[in-house]
Amino acid sequence: MATELLAVGSTAANSSDLVVASGSTVTVGIKGATTSQARVRITLKDDAGGYTDVGELTPFRPAIAITAPGTYRFTRVAGETCGVFSA
């Protein structure tokens, strides 16, 4: 079942945290992109509570499978319309 992680919009915004448990796989994808410039940064939470960029979603790379356990967040880059979902 698909779940919205970040509503479609065009302003800079962060999703809530997505926890991927050890041994699990979560597929995430971009949605509602209106141009090829839409971009969502994928970040991984470190042990100090900071976030590090580990990838991105674009219309040219619309989905990825996350297999590494951890706490992830998705950040929409301002200016282009898009959102994020998990499947």
Side-chain angles (χ1 to χ4, degrees):
M1 172 185 279
T3 302
E4 182 175 83
L5 300 174
L6 182 61
V8 173
S10 61
T11 60
N14 293 319
S15 71
S16 56
D17 287 348
L18 171 68
V19 177
V20 177
S22 182
S24 296
T25 298
V26 178
T27 301
V28 294
I30 196 169
K31 67 177 187 172
T34 57
T35 72
S36 62
Q37 301 301 311
R39 187 166 69 104
V40 175
R41 294 176 18 231
I42 303 167
T43 59
L44 176 62
K45 193 172 188 178
D46 65 26
D47 60 331
Y51 290 86
T52 302
D53 284 346
V54 295
E56 70 178 12
L57 297 170
T58 71
F60 301 103
R61 185 178 182 173
I64 64 162
I66 300 174
T67 58
T71 301
Y72 295 84
R73 186 166 67 184
F74 305 90
T75 302
R76 180 176 49 241
V77 176
E80 302 297 332
T81 301
C82 64
V84 180
F85 71 97
S86 66

